Amino acid sequence: MNFKNVIINKYLLLIICGKGDCNLNTIQLTCFLAVAETLNFARAAEQLHITQPAVTHQIRSLESELNTKLFRRTTRTVELTHAGFMFLNDARSRLEIAGRAVARFSDPSFQEVLRFSVGCPSYAQLFSFPDIFRNLRELYPQLYPNFQVAPFQHLLKMLEEESLDVVIGFHETDVKKNSALFRELKQIPLFCVCTEDSPLAAFSHITAADFGHERLVLHAPFQAPPGVMTYQRSLASKRLPSELYFCESPETVLVLVAAGFGASVLPELFIPPDVTLVKIPIADAKPLSMGIYYKTLQGNPVLRDFIRLAREI
């Protein structure tokens, strides 16, 4: 290994770890992502062209460094633990940073991309943002948006640590005090979503009393925006457990509603414009405040223009 490669490797370790006493390396992170993608140590080894014991060793050493289990392993299955799921975005981001560092050192003509990191609890919250990013790209041709989807509290932590430039989400009044600022973009009404053959489809507007005994497809508790969770709770309290279906995301809610499992309650933002379901405004629910969380506009012209375009569009 020549002197230049030694310098690059030391530089990469500093970038990846973020502190001097960390021993995480690109091999560990690459093995972790391969196993997370395949959920199979043997297939991950084939993909990386190394032996399975080598992959196992790297995962164990990574778990030892992080002092947590990243995978739940049995003789038949491999699955990510909660900690492993939370580490996915960090691993991808750090390998991406390392890749850019290698390109920068190996090719003097390497053109730096302009990274802009956006966090959101669900991809559904991005349905109305394509025009904003299109206009932002015209202002910054080197723009490289990076999206992180994770639970809201984790996103706020990433924003606090400056791993994200902005978080798209609903205003949560019970969020613990932190340095994040919130700027409202729009008031989002709640809608009942059902199939055309549902008894609810005849309503032009609907209230909680009108739902009757219709089965419900709901967002899993603590994953829905607070306003949605409150309204769901008022509906669910009058039903048997067998009349309720809980989903992890708005997308899966819409799938089950379309399949006839029941009706649901969703913010208008979560309902694609081309959806074939019936959308009924809910008259007795307050609209949700949707906007963005950020730390500061100083030294970040991309964020400043992103907020301006979001408010205009």
Side-chain angles (χ1 to χ4, degrees):
M1 180 180 292
N2 61 35
F3 179 75
K4 179 181 178 181
N5 288 335
V6 171
I7 295 297
I8 291 176
N9 287 337
K10 288 184 177 180
Y11 177 68
L12 292 181
L13 284 175
L14 288 174
I15 291 175
I16 292 171
C17 299
K19 56 183 181 179
D21 59 347
C22 175
N23 293 318
L24 300 188
N25 59 61
T26 54
I27 298 175
Q28 290 174 326
L29 298 177
T30 302
C31 288
F32 166 74
L33 290 176
V35 176
E37 178 184 342
T38 61
L39 293 180
N40 186 293
F41 278 69
R43 283 202 294 271
E46 291 177 8
Q47 186 181 98
L48 299 175
H49 304 292
I50 59 177
T51 65
Q52 183 174 337
V55 172
T56 301
H57 172 73
Q58 293 299 330
I59 296 299
R60 286 176 177 169
S61 65
L62 178 60
E63 290 178 328
S64 177
E65 288 291 334
L66 298 174
N67 195 29
T68 189
K69 286 289 183 184
L70 299 173
F71 294 99
R72 191 176 294 107
R73 302 184 279 271
T74 68
T75 55
R76 294 184 178 181
T77 63
V78 176
E79 59 183 21
L80 282 164
T81 63
H82 180 70
F85 173 77
M86 301 304 290
F87 186 62
L88 266 175
N89 285 331
D90 291 333
R92 289 177 181 139
S93 296
R94 293 180 178 194
L95 275 180
E96 188 178 327
I97 292 171
R100 291 206 314 274
V102 169
R104 185 183 299 114
F105 276 98
S106 60
D107 182 4
S109 64
F110 175 74
Q111 188 177 29
E112 182 68 69
V113 296
L114 188 58
R115 284 177 55 82
F116 185 62
S117 297
V118 181
C120 55
S122 167
Y123 286 115
Q125 291 177 326
L126 297 172
F127 286 155
S128 59
F129 280 81
D131 287 342
I132 297 169
F133 283 104
R134 183 180 295 108
N135 285 313
L136 197 62
R137 183 173 176 269
E138 290 178 2
L139 294 173
Y140 302 97
Q142 293 173 257
L143 186 70
Y144 191 100
N146 178 49
F147 298 100
Q148 305 279 1
V149 176
F152 180 70
Q153 292 298 333
H154 182 65
L155 293 174
L156 285 186
K157 182 179 178 183
M158 294 176 69
L159 185 66
E160 184 72 23
E161 295 171 349
E162 300 184 1
S163 299
L164 293 173
D165 292 292
V166 65
V167 172
I168 299 170
F170 293 98
H171 190 221
E172 301 203 11
T173 55
D174 58 346
V175 171
K176 293 182 179 179
K177 193 72 175 178
N178 57 59
S179 60
L181 303 173
F182 177 79
R183 183 168 298 190
E184 182 179 278
L185 298 178
K186 189 177 181 182
Q187 290 277 316
I188 308 294
L190 285 184
F191 278 75
C192 166
V193 186
C194 64
T195 54
E196 293 180 352
D197 58 354
S198 167
L200 304 179
F203 287 87
S204 59
H205 291 76
I206 197 168
T207 66
D210 297 325
F211 278 85
H213 294 287
E214 180 79 1
R215 290 175 181 267
L216 298 176
V217 181
L218 305 176
H219 235 139
F222 307 111
Q223 296 198 11
V228 175
M229 193 161 58
T230 300
Y231 199 84
Q232 285 187 165
R233 192 181 299 121
S234 68
L235 297 176
S237 63
K238 304 172 184 177
R239 283 168 173 73
L240 298 173
S242 59
E243 298 175 323
L244 304 173
Y245 299 91
F246 290 97
C247 298
E248 299 296 316
S249 69
E251 295 88 348
T252 50
V253 167
L254 290 171
V255 169
L256 289 192
V257 171
F261 280 77
S264 188
V265 174
L266 287 173
E268 185 181 24
L269 184 70
F270 286 0
I271 307 171
D274 58 347
V275 71
T276 57
L277 299 170
V278 177
K279 301 184 296 182
I280 310 163
I282 298 178
D284 58 346
K286 294 181 179 179
L288 308 182
S289 173
M290 194 279 290
I292 55 177
Y293 290 85
Y294 62 97
K295 284 193 69 173
T296 179
L297 298 178
Q298 292 184 356
N300 195 336
V302 180
L303 176 59
R304 187 181 295 109
D305 284 322
F306 175 80
I307 293 174
R308 177 181 58 80
L309 290 169
R311 299 193 73 178
E312 290 175 359
I313 296 176

